[in-house]
Amino acid sequence: MIFNKVFLLILASFCINLSDLQAQQNESSDADGSITGTVVLSPRNSPVRFGGGLYGRSSSPAASRASADSVLVILVSPNNSNTSPKEAPVTLDQKDNSFVPNLLPVPLNQVVRIRNSDPVYHNVFSLSSTKKFDVGRRPKGEYLDVEFDKAGIVDVFCDIHSNMHAVIYVMPPNATGWIKVKNGEAFDFDQIEPGSYELKVYARGYEEMSFPVEISIGENVQLGTLTMNS
C-alpha cells in the first residue's frame, strides 16, 4: 500500500513537470519569429570572373541568361558562437568534369573530402586567401581531406580542366543556420528567437548581399523578392 502511494506521488510529480515543460515549450514557440523571402538571380550580360589576382578565371558569357546556380542564404546572430563541424567529412566530388556540388556550405573547422569519381585525372586546388591547398593529380577513387579553419569564401578549380569551378563557403562562427535554394525559390527560417540578426545571400558570380533583420516576439518578417546582381 505504501509503495503504491509513493509510486502515485512520483507519477503525479512527473506529470506536473512534464506539463510545465510543455507549457514552456509552447510559450517559447509562440515567442519565436520567422523570416521568409525569395531570391532571384538577375541575368548575366557579361562574363563573370571567379577568383582573384592573376589566377582569376572568367566564366563563359551568358547572354542575358539567368543563372541556374544554387543560392545560399545565411542567418547570422551576434549572440551565437558555434564552430562545431560535422563529425564525418563532407564531400566535394568530381563527376562528369564538374564539381558536385558547385556550392558547398560548411561550418568552421569542417573537414571536406575532395574526391575524384571521374575516370580521368583531376588536380583540384585553391589560391584563395581563406584556404590555399593543392590536392595534386588524383585518379578515379582517390581523395584528400582538407580542414577549413578560417571563415570566408574559397574558390576551387581544377588545374587540368579550366571550366571547372566550385565555391566552399566556410561559415562565420556566429552563423545560426543556412539554407540553399534554387534561383526563384523561397527560403524560410523559423523558430528564431527575438533579437537582431544579419542576413547574408550568396551565389557564385554574384555580389554578396548583407543586411540587418530585427525579429520581434512572434513576428514573421517577410522580405519579399531579393534580386542579386552579377
Side-chain angles (χ1 to χ4, degrees):
M1 182 67 68
I2 295 176
F3 174 79
N4 290 339
K5 289 182 178 179
V6 172
F7 176 76
L8 290 174
L9 287 173
I10 294 174
L11 180 60
S13 176
F14 174 77
C15 291
I16 292 172
N17 291 335
L18 181 60
S19 177
D20 290 342
L21 178 61
Q22 290 174 339
Q24 291 174 5
Q25 289 176 339
N26 290 335
E27 288 177 4
S28 175
S29 177
D30 292 339
D32 290 342
S34 62
I35 303 174
T36 59
T38 302
V39 182
V40 173
L41 303 179
S42 63
R44 292 176 180 169
N45 294 311
S46 60
V48 178
R49 189 171 183 82
F50 298 119
L54 296 175
Y55 296 94
R57 298 184 179 184
S58 298
S59 69
S60 57
S64 299
R65 179 166 51 88
S67 171
D69 278 1
S70 296
V71 180
L72 184 60
V73 187
I74 307 157
L75 189 63
V76 178
S77 169
N79 300 320
N80 187 62
S81 181
N82 181 17
T83 60
S84 300
K86 295 182 180 179
E87 293 183 2
V90 296
T91 300
L92 178 64
D93 213 341
Q94 296 120 64
K95 295 180 179 179
D96 299 325
N97 286 353
S98 299
F99 286 110
V100 181
N102 59 20
L103 176 56
L104 178 64
V106 297
L108 194 63
N109 300 318
Q110 177 65 49
V111 173
V112 176
R113 177 159 294 175
I114 302 174
R115 181 177 62 197
N116 182 12
S117 295
D118 272 337
V120 298
Y121 278 93
H122 289 295
N123 187 349
V124 178
F125 73 97
S126 176
L127 296 173
S128 298
S129 58
T130 302
K131 185 71 176 183
K132 293 182 173 66
F133 64 87
D134 191 334
V135 173
R137 289 173 60 88
R138 299 275 171 174
K140 182 177 181 178
E142 286 197 5
Y143 64 83
L144 183 71
D145 289 345
V146 180
E147 182 179 359
F148 291 83
D149 53 4
K150 182 180 178 182
I153 295 171
V154 182
D155 284 295
V156 183
F157 302 101
C158 175
D159 199 36
I160 300 174
H161 306 93
S162 61
N163 63 303
M164 292 177 61
H165 172 247
V167 167
I168 298 174
Y169 195 111
V170 187
M171 295 293 157
N174 55 351
T176 64
W178 54 87
I179 301 171
K180 202 163 76 165
V181 296
K182 290 294 185 183
N183 178 23
E185 287 183 348
F187 63 87
D188 183 7
F189 291 98
D190 57 9
Q191 297 183 343
I192 304 173
E193 294 182 358
S196 301
Y197 295 86
E198 180 184 11
L199 195 75
K200 293 177 176 287
V201 186
Y202 175 83
R204 293 189 319 141
Y206 288 80
E207 296 182 9
E208 186 175 32
M209 300 172 62
S210 178
F211 45 89
V213 179
E214 290 286 336
I215 300 291
S216 300
I217 295 176
E219 182 183 13
N220 177 17
V221 177
Q222 299 182 6
L223 298 176
T225 300
L226 308 176
T227 302
M228 299 192 71
N229 298 309
S230 58

